[in-house]
Amino acid sequence: MKKNISYIRLSPFRLFGAISALTLCAFCSFSQPLVAQAVEHDRIARMMLDLQSSPDRWIQIDLTEQKLMAWEGNKVVYAVSVSTGKEGHLTPPGTFAVQTKYEVTRMQGDTYDVPDVPFTMYYYGGYAIHGAYWHNNFGTPMSHGCTNVAVNHAEWLFNWADVGTPIVVHY
C-alpha cells in the first residue's frame, strides 16, 4: 500500500524568508520577558548598591540560597536560613519595604489557615517575613510565598526593623 506524501517546495528566497519569520517570532515571544527580567535584575542590583553605600538598615532575601541577611549599610549584622515559596507559590523578587508589623496574626489562604503566626512583617500584599512554628526545615522552599523564619530569628528581625525598612528579594 502506497502512501501519498506531498512536499512543499520553496525557493531558496522563500525558504530564507520563512526561516527568518519563524526566528523573529521565536525571538520576539521570548525577548519581552527576558528584557523585563534583565531590567528588574538591574534595578534590584542598583538598589542593593545604593543601600550598601548608605547607613540605612535593610533586609536581603536570597531566594537561591534560601538566606536572609539584615544589613546596616554595607555590614551584615544578622543572617539566617529561611524557607521561601515552594513551586507554584513562588516568592516574588523585587524591592519592597516593611508596610505593617504584627506581633501575632492569623494567616489564611485557599489551602491553609494558621493561627498565631508570630512576628509578622508584611512587605508586599499578602507576602511577609514571619516566624514559623510549624516546621524546622529552613533552607528549603516550603511556604505559600512568604519568607518563613525560625521564631527566635523572626523576633530579632521584628525588633530590629521598622515600618519602612527596605527589603530586597532576589535570585
Side-chain angles (χ1 to χ4, degrees):
M1 176 186 243
K2 288 187 175 181
K3 292 185 179 179
N4 289 333
I5 300 175
S6 337
Y7 294 95
I8 298 173
R9 292 183 188 256
L10 294 176
S11 69
F13 179 74
R14 284 191 170 179
L15 181 60
F16 177 76
I19 291 171
S20 297
L22 288 171
T23 302
L24 184 60
C25 287
F27 176 75
C28 289
S29 68
F30 292 111
S31 67
Q32 286 294 59
L34 291 177
V35 169
Q37 287 174 3
V39 168
E40 180 67 4
H41 181 268
D42 289 348
R43 192 174 68 73
I44 290 169
R46 277 193 306 277
M47 174 66 108
M48 289 176 65
L49 288 173
D50 289 347
L51 289 166
Q52 286 178 341
S53 62
S54 78
D56 297 341
R57 290 180 173 189
W58 60 285
I59 296 170
Q60 175 185 7
I61 300 170
D62 185 327
L63 300 170
T64 302
E65 298 295 323
Q66 293 293 290
K67 298 282 184 202
L68 179 150
M69 288 160 280
W71 295 75
E72 292 181 10
N74 64 358
K75 182 181 176 192
V76 176
V77 295
Y78 204 78
V80 296
S81 292
V82 297
S83 290
T84 60
K86 61 187 174 184
E87 193 68 37
H89 301 280
L90 299 177
T91 303
T95 57
F96 311 99
V98 175
Q99 295 175 352
T100 56
K101 294 172 61 172
Y102 299 95
E103 282 191 35
V104 177
T105 192
R106 176 181 214 105
M107 292 187 151
Q108 295 175 297
D110 291 340
T111 59
Y112 63 93
D113 182 1
V114 184
D116 303 322
V117 179
F119 307 111
T120 302
M121 297 187 293
Y122 284 98
Y123 61 87
Y124 175 64
Y127 295 93
I129 299 167
H130 60 77
Y133 57 79
W134 51 90
H135 77 83
N136 193 26
N137 198 16
F138 302 102
T140 302
M142 294 193 58
S143 80
H144 281 83
C146 286
T147 300
N148 291 185
V149 181
V151 173
N152 60 326
H153 298 304
E155 181 178 15
W156 187 93
L157 289 162
F158 186 88
N159 291 325
W160 177 84
D162 295 321
V163 169
T165 298
I167 298 175
V168 179
V169 182
H170 67 88
Y171 286 98

